[in-house]
Amino acid sequence: MKKTIYLIGIITIVFATNVFAQVTLPRASQRSAMSQTVGDTEISIVYHRPNINNRPVWGELVPLGEVWRTGANEATVFEISNDVLINGQKLPKGKYSLHTIPNKDEWTIIFNKTWNQWGSFNYKAEEDALRVTAKPVAGEHRETMAIDINNVTGTTADVVIAWEKVRVPFKLDVGDLNGRFLSSARRQMTGNSLTAARFVLESKLTANYAEALVWIDDSLAISETSGALLLKARLLNEMGKKPEAIAAAEKSIQVGKAATPAANVSGAEGFLKQLKGSN
């Protein structure tokens, strides 16, 4: 009987432990995780968002002239999948803790190599990967601190730290996106030659037109398709070689109609009409 009671007690304790282990206690400053693609680069920011709660912020809750975790709880984590420029200065791809030193007229933005740390309490300046400065500007009141990514273009974005009536923006630039793409395409040219050539044409990378034409011809040497011939016609036209472009467009139509099943050649026919109409 005693053994049975003992076993029941053990089972009860284990059950209770498992139940409590599954309970997530809410934090006053909630966790936020965001990501943004800029060009070919993924940006990820994980941080905790404190509220003002009727407290004075700058110079009180957040001391001026001292390193701040730029959030609450754990240090803010900033991760990038490629090398980028931050306010014009290089930050290698990787994972960093993001700290700041707030001041009235200028902030210091810090990217520290020790990304997994509690707040800024164990922060060491010798582990900094990059420091840049940024100018705070006024904005509408925000009760909850936020880090936003705004004004996203093909290669740039503005990262903005916002709390109370202060906004601190800094520029992120992913750099030579076209160069990275072409380097990758050259390394993996098999099966990607037409994709690379199309990118060159659509991005109007005129310095690479001749190289792209070689890629298309290499693909055509393996398999002559209507789509590849039309791409060649469009590229030749961009290069100012209209007679060759007309010949390539005509062949695109011919090859497409002869295919089994026949390809849709309406695009080639329309482009050929455009070429001949502009003679």
Side-chain angles (χ1 to χ4, degrees):
M1 183 69 178
K2 288 183 179 179
K3 187 176 290 186
T4 301
I5 294 171
Y6 176 75
L7 287 173
I8 292 171
I10 292 294
I11 292 170
T12 302
I13 292 170
V14 170
F15 177 76
T17 300
N18 287 336
V19 168
F20 284 112
Q22 295 173 11
V23 174
T24 300
L25 294 176
R27 289 178 165 185
S29 300
Q30 301 288 348
R31 180 181 184 273
S32 176
M34 65 175 299
S35 63
Q36 174 68 53
T37 301
V38 179
D40 62 344
T41 302
E42 194 72 20
I43 302 148
S44 172
I45 303 174
V46 178
Y47 68 110
H48 290 79
R49 306 181 62 190
N51 288 310
I52 296 175
N53 289 330
N54 296 315
R55 298 174 293 178
V57 177
W58 310 115
E60 296 283 343
L61 187 59
V62 178
L64 300 180
E66 298 181 15
V67 176
W68 176 42
R69 73 185 86 185
T70 318
N73 304 324
E74 295 92 336
T76 294
V77 178
F78 185 93
E79 186 173 8
I80 44 175
S81 62
N82 285 308
D83 297 353
V84 301
L85 299 176
I86 302 291
N87 282 359
Q89 298 188 46
K90 183 178 178 179
L91 180 66
K93 70 176 183 179
K95 201 170 187 178
Y96 304 93
S97 55
L98 173 65
H99 309 261
T100 53
I101 301 177
N103 278 299
K104 182 179 179 182
D105 299 318
E106 184 177 82
W107 283 38
T108 300
I109 313 295
I110 303 168
F111 299 88
N112 188 270
K113 296 174 187 176
T114 305
W115 65 268
N116 188 15
Q117 56 182 296
W118 181 265
S120 298
F121 298 106
N122 296 314
Y123 162 81
K124 295 178 181 178
E126 56 267 29
E127 289 296 312
D128 288 349
L130 177 66
R131 282 187 172 209
V132 298
T133 57
K135 295 290 184 183
V137 296
E140 294 182 359
H141 179 85
R142 293 188 73 160
E143 169 68 21
T144 307
M145 183 213 149
I147 301 178
D148 302 320
I149 300 179
N150 301 328
N151 303 322
V152 179
T153 71
T155 57
T156 65
D158 293 330
V159 181
V160 183
I161 301 165
W163 201 18
E164 201 242 6
K165 294 184 179 180
V166 173
R167 307 286 183 272
V168 184
F170 59 88
K171 178 73 70 177
L172 182 145
D173 190 328
V174 302
D176 187 11
L177 164 64
N178 294 336
R180 283 196 299 273
F181 176 85
L182 291 174
S183 295
S184 176
R186 292 182 185 112
R187 290 193 301 270
Q188 306 173 47
M189 188 51 66
T190 303
N192 292 296
S193 55
L194 294 181
T195 299
R198 187 173 292 108
F199 175 82
V200 168
L201 177 61
E202 292 176 353
S203 301
K204 296 191 179 299
L205 304 179
T206 56
N208 300 101
Y209 280 176
E211 185 179 14
L213 188 58
V214 172
W215 298 339
I216 297 172
D217 284 336
D218 287 345
S219 176
L220 287 169
I222 298 170
S223 176
E224 193 172 58
T225 65
S226 177
L229 285 162
L230 178 57
L231 179 61
K232 180 176 181 178
R234 293 184 183 279
L235 182 58
L236 286 167
N237 184 55
E238 284 294 317
M239 296 172 73
K241 298 181 178 182
K242 186 169 291 184
E244 293 95 326
I246 290 174
E250 289 174 338
K251 193 166 186 180
S252 171
I253 296 168
Q254 176 190 341
V255 169
K257 288 182 175 179
T260 304
N264 183 348
V265 296
S266 59
E269 288 174 336
F271 186 59
L272 180 60
K273 183 178 180 180
Q274 175 188 328
L275 287 174
K276 290 185 172 180
S278 60
N279 278 342

